[in-house]
Amino acid sequence: KSDSTYDYIVVGGGTSGLVVANRLSEQKDTTVLVIEAGGSVYSNPNVTDTLGYGKAFGTDIDWAYETTAQEYAGGFSQIVRAGKALGGTSTINGMAYLRAQAAQIDAWETIGNKGWNWKTLLPYFKKSEKLQDPANYPFLEGSGVAFDPAYHGFTGPLKVGWSSNQLNDGLAQKLNATYQNLDVPVPYNRDANSGDMVGYSLYPKTVDADLNIREDAARAYYYPYQNRTNLHVWLNTHANKIAWKDGNEATANGVEVTLSNGKKTVVKATREVILAAGALKSPVLLELSGVGNPHILSKHGIATKVNLPTVGENLQDQMNNGLKFESKKTYGSDKSADYVAYPSADQLFPNSTALGAELLRKLPAYAAQVASANGNITKARDIYRFFKIQWDLIFKDEIPVAEILLSASGASYSSEYWGSVPFSRGSVHLSSADPTAPAIIDPKYFMLDFDLHSQAQAARFIRDIFKTEPFADMAGAEITPGLSTVAAGADDKAWSTFIYSKYRSNFHPITTAGMLPKELGGVVDTSLKVYGTSNVRVVDASVMPFQVCGHLQSTVYAVAERAADIIKEQS
Ligand code: FAD
């Protein structure tokens, strides 16, 4: 093994990495190696169980990255989960298959990524997907699930659909009626994956509806193809850094790895090294390889190969809180309700126009604050451009500004929620030249007050749902936080104590190796190639320039599908 040579080395056998490895190895004369730090979880029940969300947390297949103490949010640190297994985070995630508002992907082009927009990405969403038509599954009768075939793929590797866990007792319909009875109704949306997410929907998941097990990247993109002789996977193998060709040019010729037996070796790549280690690892691997901010690298004795100071900057995540209410009915543990509402600004905020105007005035100060918090590595004028585009998305394009989930279990209803597009930005950087040392992860949660306001307003909105018929009649008292903890009519400050002490990462980190023009702080270009290198790409969630309102995986799969096409075209 140690003296092998491959055309392509993919670092990270996760959600994006397995897509790219699969597609490149479709070319029979092309050899591909996947390096994966974790092992196989093919028969791990914490992975396969479609009702087992959370069971894998804290086990050996969870990287459980820890953030720094979050100074704007009560001083607590947070755990950011990520899968350490073949299949990556798709083996431990919530399986929600929800894309983005079309305008959000179009914003990728607006910021300077020519050719990246909803229209050009939609074929790749479809290419990856194998939608399992609910009409073929009698157990879904009465559940209310629906989709629009125009927006889905039916022959891709990734199974998407609804399993026999789907609740079909009329709750979905009652919740819809409740949304329609709100003072400002949130309309029913038949298919939130159409590019228009606003509304109330029943969303599909990455499940195998026939077997009722999780569908992850390994089941979709690797196991059915594992007999390809040109596709190799090294499990339990840790990538340490990129190995470079001698000379001034930054041309990768391999990857230094630590094998499962503890031995270090360099495996050679004749064409490209493709980073797919996730948004909290790929930028750190770049830094370990000498690509990044020279001030940070030199502190750790790493020679600068490519001066690219924004590696690891622009980190964006969302923050997740939950409210809980008593339910008059008791729900069994064998069913799940996968109901989502995506309100626009007009639907969430009672004073959307005034709020928008106030936020617009604050944007220059926000941009200055972000820039100064990272030592002006990212420039205030560039951050302002992002923020203005984000403002336009919220107040002109009317993208969803919050995600409201509802689940029913035992004698309670729980509603997880988050503001979809926080403005705060942080960073991830290496802490040592030791590739196994934990990175310094600082998302700067709640740095900017709009983020707290959205989070508090979403909580007020959930309280309204539980006060509206027919839901009001089905639910009892509020359990969490409870009116004695956060009073009715509480302002943002009063909500903040609860929000800061109970929030968690929403596990949607992005933009740490952002696809952006170099002069705007980009790390990769529109072919996902790292600036200043001739053959290193990043294909995972790190490259997404803006947060999406759905969850990340569908977009990660689509971007990786497109990355594979780009790589094939260019080699
Ligand atoms: P990953 O899939 O994380 O792949 C990275 C891979 O690289 C991993 O296999 C890792 O082990 C490997 N690796 C890392 N470092 C090294 C190294 N040095 N050497 C070798 N290998 C390495 N999204 C949704 O769409 N729906 C959801 O319901 C949802 N729920 C989520 C719930 C949780 C708990 C989490 C954590 C995330 C959730 N997400 C969800 C987000 C989504 O799953 C991820 O954004 C997406 O899977 C990330 O894909 P990726 O390819 O960027 O990285």
Side-chain angles (χ1 to χ4, degrees):
K1 248 191 199 176
S2 56
D3 55 2
S4 297
T5 300
Y6 295 85
D7 291 319
Y8 296 97
I9 298 179
V10 177
V11 176
T15 317
S16 55
L18 290 180
V19 175
V20 171
N22 175 310
R23 295 302 185 188
L24 293 178
S25 63
E26 283 174 339
Q27 312 170 112
K28 291 199 175 58
D29 56 346
T30 301
T31 57
V32 180
L33 172 66
V34 176
I35 296 166
E36 171 52 47
S40 165
V41 289
Y42 188 81
S43 32
N44 181 335
N46 293 341
V47 171
T48 52
D49 180 359
T50 52
L51 291 167
Y53 179 64
K55 282 189 184 166
F57 296 177
T59 71
D60 60 356
I61 68 164
D62 175 10
W63 286 96
Y65 300 123
E66 192 173 352
T67 71
T68 57
Q70 290 300 285
E71 62 172 304
Y72 305 99
F76 310 103
S77 65
Q78 294 286 329
I79 300 293
V80 188
R81 307 203 178 276
K84 183 181 185 182
L86 193 64
T89 303
S90 72
T91 68
I92 67 163
N93 71 13
M95 298 178 284
Y97 184 89
L98 284 158
R99 297 170 181 168
Q101 187 84 2
Q104 290 184 293
I105 306 294
D106 291 344
W108 298 12
E109 184 154 57
T110 311
I111 196 75
N113 295 304
K114 196 161 181 293
W116 285 86
N117 54 50
W118 173 259
K119 199 163 158 250
T120 55
L121 200 58
L122 183 58
Y124 290 103
F125 281 112
K126 291 184 180 177
K127 185 177 184 184
S128 67
E129 185 185 16
K130 185 189 189 72
L131 188 88
Q132 302 155 108
D133 186 339
N136 299 329
Y137 297 91
F139 54 69
L140 293 172
E141 219 165 282
S143 66
V145 304
F147 73 103
D148 182 340
Y151 298 102
H152 292 273
F154 297 88
T155 56
L158 182 74
K159 290 178 182 149
V160 173
W162 292 270
S163 75
S164 54
N165 304 139
Q166 189 72 21
L167 200 64
N168 54 1
D169 69 341
L171 179 64
Q173 292 80 354
K174 293 220 172 78
L175 187 56
N176 184 32
T178 307
Y179 278 116
Q180 305 324 316
N181 283 340
L182 290 173
D183 287 346
V184 183
V186 174
Y188 171 68
N189 183 353
R190 180 179 161 74
D191 191 338
N193 283 310
S194 65
D196 181 7
M197 308 197 77
V198 173
Y200 162 72
S201 301
L202 279 67
Y203 62 88
K205 289 181 156 187
T206 42
V207 288
D208 183 323
D210 297 306
L211 302 178
N212 191 22
I213 56 172
R214 171 193 296 271
E215 175 80 343
D216 59 49
R219 281 186 183 268
Y221 283 90
Y222 178 67
Y223 291 116
Y225 308 89
Q226 60 184 321
N227 291 334
R228 284 183 190 166
T229 52
N230 59 334
L231 171 60
H232 289 188
V233 171
W234 291 3
L235 295 178
N236 304 306
T237 302
H238 193 272
N240 299 333
K241 58 181 171 182
I242 296 165
W244 302 104
K245 257 191 192 155
D246 287 342
N248 289 336
E249 260 190 41
T251 302
N253 66 1
V255 177
E256 182 199 288
V257 301
T258 302
L259 300 169
S260 53
N261 62 9
K263 203 174 144 238
K264 269 192 193 162
T265 187
V266 173
V267 50
K268 296 276 181 201
T270 54
R271 292 199 197 164
E272 295 196 5
V273 170
I274 297 159
L275 299 184
L280 297 176
K281 263 291 166 66
S282 290
V284 177
L285 278 162
L286 285 173
E287 291 182 327
L288 288 163
S289 314
V291 181
N293 181 343
H295 294 294
I296 294 175
L297 304 186
S298 62
K299 257 196 264 169
H300 303 292
I302 296 170
T304 299
K305 185 80 187 171
V306 180
N307 180 347
L308 198 53
T310 50
V311 169
E313 297 296 334
N314 285 314
L315 169 60
Q316 301 170 60
D317 191 6
Q318 297 153 326
M319 297 75 80
N320 181 307
N321 279 105
L323 265 61
K324 199 170 180 177
F325 295 80
E326 288 168 358
S327 148
K328 291 186 185 158
K329 176 175 168 179
T330 302
Y331 292 86
S333 56
D334 59 335
K335 294 282 179 196
S336 71
D338 300 320
Y339 310 146
V340 67
Y342 284 115
S344 63
D346 278 346
Q347 293 160 5
L348 187 77
F349 300 114
N351 53 347
S352 179
T353 308
L355 180 76
E358 186 195 341
L359 180 63
L360 191 58
R361 282 193 297 275
K362 281 185 183 168
L363 291 185
Y366 273 16
Q369 202 180 336
V370 169
S372 108
N374 67 36
N376 295 306
I377 304 299
T378 53
K379 305 282 172 276
R381 59 156 203 276
D382 299 336
I383 301 291
Y384 177 78
R385 262 179 85 171
F386 286 103
F387 284 179
K388 179 59 176 42
I389 290 173
Q390 190 159 318
W391 188 94
D392 287 344
L393 287 169
I394 298 171
F395 294 100
K396 286 192 179 158
D397 299 307
E398 298 182 18
I399 64 167
V401 282
E403 172 159 338
I404 316 284
L405 294 169
L406 185 104
S407 64
S409 151
S412 65
Y413 296 114
S414 299
S415 188
E416 277 188 28
Y417 72 91
W418 55 92
S420 336
V421 278
F423 282 77
S424 303
R425 285 166 178 243
S427 62
V428 52
H429 292 294
L430 82 183
S431 67
S432 152
D434 171 0
T436 61
I440 303 166
I441 301 169
D442 183 4
K444 300 203 189 300
Y445 292 123
F446 294 108
M447 178 168 64
L448 302 169
D449 58 3
F450 177 79
D451 300 352
L452 173 66
H453 184 59
S454 309
Q455 201 77 354
Q457 188 53 33
R460 294 182 192 107
F461 177 87
I462 293 166
R463 281 185 166 174
D464 283 348
I465 297 167
F466 280 84
K467 276 193 288 208
T468 304
E469 295 297 344
F471 232 63
D473 211 32
M474 299 155 56
E478 181 179 304
I479 304 168
T480 310
L483 292 168
S484 56
T485 304
V486 183
D491 63 9
D492 287 359
K493 176 118 191 16
W495 271 104
S496 71
T497 311
F498 162 71
I499 288 173
Y500 294 162
S501 61
K502 296 287 186 228
Y503 85 102
R504 63 163 172 82
S505 160
N506 202 37
F507 312 137
H508 289 171
I510 57 161
T511 329
T512 51
M515 175 174 65
L516 296 163
K518 189 165 183 228
E519 62 279 10
L520 290 185
V523 172
V524 302
D525 65 17
T526 52
S527 70
L528 306 177
K529 199 175 274 179
V530 177
Y531 289 114
T533 74
S534 63
N535 63 346
V536 177
R537 299 197 208 235
V538 183
V539 298
D540 58 29
S542 320
V543 303
M544 291 165 56
F546 286 99
Q547 194 53 268
V548 291
C549 285
H551 296 226
L552 295 184
Q553 67 171 344
S554 52
T555 307
V556 168
Y557 281 116
V559 167
E561 284 280 11
R562 184 161 184 201
D565 266 5
I566 293 170
I567 297 167
K568 282 176 172 174
E569 271 162 30
Q570 293 188 349
S571 54

